[in-house]
Amino acid sequence: MNKLVIRKGLFETSSSSEDSLSVYQDMSIFVLPKDLYQKFEDNELYLKLCTDSIIPMVAEDYNWVKEENKRVAKKYKIKLDNNGEVPYYYCFTNRNSFYINYETYIASIRHYFYDVEFFNKENNDEVIFGFYGYIED
């Protein structure tokens, strides 16, 4: 028998007590097929983590990503670093704009949040991943 508990501001689903994921309003959550998530984790794939979708935009071509990020940085008047890359600390607050690899994803979120928690959970052929944390005042 499944137990249903409703709490304001929280969506939770569980098929068993051993396999569950709770999602709350201020949590960032995304979904990718397992193979793409593995490439992302290995820094071989770039994602644009849009705030209005749990399915990120995906790019594999580093040269294309670098040019696209340059174009967007110019539009928003963001100065690139010495390697011609968007500095990681701009990537979280502008995540609707820039493609980032896993290393930049982790660094940008750790820069913006304190006491941040990252998670990933396999669900059939997909990985549900994201983070939650607190913003410093």
Side-chain angles (χ1 to χ4, degrees):
M1 178 175 201
N2 287 340
K3 179 179 175 184
L4 177 65
V5 178
I6 299 175
R7 290 177 269 175
K8 186 175 179 169
L10 179 79
F11 170 77
E12 183 175 330
T13 182
S14 175
S15 59
S16 76
S17 61
E18 308 251 337
D19 184 23
S20 66
L21 176 67
S22 298
V23 178
Y24 62 91
Q25 187 172 355
D26 295 327
M27 180 185 266
S28 291
I29 186 168
F30 306 100
V31 178
L32 279 176
K34 281 183 190 178
D35 61 329
L36 292 182
Y37 181 79
Q38 188 60 55
K39 283 183 170 185
F40 178 57
E41 224 177 26
D42 293 341
N43 288 309
E44 297 171 0
L45 188 74
Y46 299 86
L47 303 181
K48 187 188 288 190
L49 303 170
C50 301
T51 55
D52 60 350
S53 174
I54 64 170
I55 308 296
M57 296 175 75
V58 176
E60 292 189 64
D61 184 337
Y62 170 75
N63 292 323
W64 181 87
V65 165
K66 191 170 181 177
E67 289 305 311
E68 176 65 11
N69 284 349
K70 275 186 193 177
R71 184 188 66 73
V72 173
K74 184 176 180 180
K75 176 181 174 183
Y76 291 109
K77 298 180 174 133
I78 294 173
K79 186 178 179 187
L80 302 176
D81 67 16
N82 293 337
N83 297 321
E85 302 280 347
V86 178
Y88 72 88
Y89 44 84
Y90 287 118
C91 292
F92 178 76
T93 54
N94 295 291
R95 64 190 178 276
N96 283 329
S97 304
F98 296 113
Y99 284 88
I100 58 173
N101 64 9
Y102 187 77
E103 183 179 316
T104 303
Y105 163 73
I106 297 294
S108 67
I109 293 166
R110 284 199 170 132
H111 176 79
Y112 194 73
F113 289 92
Y114 72 95
D115 198 23
V116 66
E117 293 289 330
F118 296 91
F119 64 88
N120 62 51
K121 177 134 178 75
E122 291 187 15
N123 181 34
N124 298 323
D125 292 333
E126 298 176 324
V127 175
I128 301 166
F129 68 101
F131 62 91
Y132 57 92
Y134 301 97
I135 298 173
E136 292 189 48
D137 292 330

